[in-house]
């Protein structure tokens, strides 16, 4: 069984193109690490500077713990820190956005 996690992040002004370019070439080592951490799907939508992530993962907290110090993720997070308004510390304390409504 997996869980769906939704996140909201925000780009620094003027970094939209760089963010798009970075995600056009995610390193295979990072893709493998994400999958090995239990992620079966990760989608990101962008509206201006706002990013919305939908993650399908076996265990979100375990995934965050597995990736926190992973050698493929550390340089990626450093790169993203240059582009995002708030840096992700991978503390694992977050639980994503709360669900407000779902079509019955």
């Amino acid at each position: 069984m997996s869980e769906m996690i939704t996140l909201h992040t925000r780009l620094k002004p003027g970094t939209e193109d760089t963010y798009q370019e970075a995600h056009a070439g995610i390193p295979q080592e990072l893709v493998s690490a994400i999958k090995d951490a239990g992620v079966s799907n990760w989608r990101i939508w962008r509206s201006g500077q706002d990013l919305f992530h939908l993650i399908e993962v076996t265990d979100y907290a375990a995934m965050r713990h597995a990736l926190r110090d992973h050698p493929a993720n550390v340089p990626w997070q450093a790169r993203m820190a240059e582009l995002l308004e708030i840096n992700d510390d991978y503390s694992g304390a977050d639980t994503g956005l709360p669900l407000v409504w779902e079509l019955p």
Side-chain angles (χ1 to χ4, degrees):
M1 181 125 200
S2 63
E3 55 184 319
M4 299 291 268
I5 301 293
T6 306
L7 306 173
H8 172 245
T9 54
R10 188 164 172 81
L11 293 170
K12 292 177 183 175
T15 63
E16 297 86 352
D17 290 341
T18 304
Y19 185 85
Q20 189 79 27
E21 291 165 9
H23 282 79
I26 296 176
Q28 185 55 47
E29 300 82 25
L30 180 57
V31 171
S32 295
I34 291 170
K35 288 181 178 182
D36 290 347
V39 176
S40 59
N41 200 346
W42 191 321
R43 295 178 180 159
I44 304 171
W45 289 266
R46 184 175 68 81
S47 176
Q49 292 170 254
D50 293 299
L51 302 167
F52 301 93
H53 308 247
L54 179 61
I55 307 165
E56 188 171 349
V57 61
T58 306
D59 181 333
Y60 180 67
M63 179 270 288
R64 301 277 288 167
H65 179 74
L67 292 176
R68 181 178 183 160
D69 297 317
H70 193 286
N73 191 43
V74 170
W76 180 260
Q77 290 307 317
R79 186 175 184 192
M80 291 301 103
E82 297 172 357
L83 307 175
L84 298 173
E85 282 190 348
I86 298 174
N87 293 337
D88 187 351
D89 65 2
Y90 269 73
S91 65
D94 67 294
T95 58
L97 297 172
L99 179 65
V100 174
W101 181 82
E102 185 174 358
L103 182 67

